[in-house]
Amino acid sequence: MLDYKVLMNFIEDLFLSYSFKKSKVSFVRKVNDIVQILEVQKYTFKIEGNNVFTINMGIIIPDTFLKVFGRATTPSVSEGVVYFNIGELINDFNGRVINKHWVLKDEDTLKSELKDVFEEKVMPFFDSINTPHAIVEFVKHNKIVSKSTNSIKMQLDSIGI
């Protein structure tokens, strides 16, 4: 069984190499007028005796959050104008949500898959969604489960979606 601390060291090195900074339990990257966030979520259950985790992603528009809620963000993915499980991204926001999770079993395979997903999906997504306008266009044209939460609706209303 792969140790969770070994995984977190690998993930931290990977995220930091792409200009994310660690902030409590989140990894944040400020780009233009937005904040991109990644959070590793460890599950309390195990699969075949192995620890399980997933990655949640979010984008915050700090000015919008401040306008809607009257305070600065924490930041946390759940405070984003959009947030989702990495499985939605892997599935190209097409159809039902795939709650992608990884089992901490084989270290080399896990690290290779995470690196590939990060380079082929996560970073291209974040590189393309790097302004408030890009977020608006993305939200208008994609099925994202988090659009139905109250805090998201309030932020989307504030920016005219």
Side-chain angles (χ1 to χ4, degrees):
M1 171 173 60
L2 177 61
D3 183 86
Y4 187 70
K5 289 180 183 182
V6 170
L7 167 75
M8 286 309 297
N9 287 337
F10 172 76
I11 287 176
E12 187 169 325
D13 289 345
L14 179 63
F15 292 177
L16 294 176
S17 72
Y18 284 90
S19 302
F20 285 85
K21 295 184 179 359
K22 189 159 185 178
S23 173
K24 299 180 184 175
V25 299
S26 302
F27 293 88
V28 299
R29 183 171 88 152
K30 294 180 181 178
V31 179
N32 301 321
D33 296 326
I34 66 170
V35 177
Q36 300 168 337
I37 304 172
L38 298 165
E39 290 177 355
V40 178
Q41 177 184 352
K42 182 179 174 185
Y43 290 107
T44 55
F45 63 87
K46 294 184 178 200
I47 296 178
E48 297 177 3
N50 296 292
N51 291 321
V52 180
F53 76 98
T54 192
I55 298 173
N56 297 312
M57 302 174 60
I59 300 175
I60 294 174
I61 305 173
D63 291 344
T64 299
F65 190 89
L66 181 62
K67 177 180 165 187
V68 171
F69 299 108
R71 66 173 180 84
T73 66
T74 307
S76 167
V77 292
S78 63
E79 294 178 335
V81 69
V82 62
Y83 72 90
F84 48 88
N85 178 278
I86 197 167
E88 288 182 80
L89 175 66
I90 290 170
N91 197 40
D92 295 322
F93 303 98
N94 185 19
R96 74 177 183 87
V97 175
I98 297 172
N99 189 13
K100 175 64 178 170
H101 64 270
W102 286 274
V103 178
L104 304 181
K105 192 172 184 178
D106 178 309
E107 182 175 346
D108 292 335
T109 302
L110 178 62
K111 287 179 177 179
S112 176
E113 183 179 344
L114 282 172
K115 189 173 188 295
D116 289 349
V117 166
F118 198 76
E119 291 174 352
E120 295 169 13
K121 290 287 190 171
V122 174
M123 288 314 301
F125 172 79
F126 276 148
D127 288 344
S128 70
I129 310 294
N130 58 14
T131 65
H133 177 73
I135 294 169
V136 168
E137 290 304 309
F138 170 76
V139 171
K140 282 181 180 178
H141 298 99
N142 288 281
K143 298 175 188 175
I144 303 171
V145 171
S146 66
K147 286 198 293 192
S148 63
T149 66
N150 265 349
S151 66
I152 299 291
K153 284 182 183 175
M154 292 168 64
Q155 291 180 71
L156 294 175
D157 288 347
S158 171
I159 56 178
I161 296 180

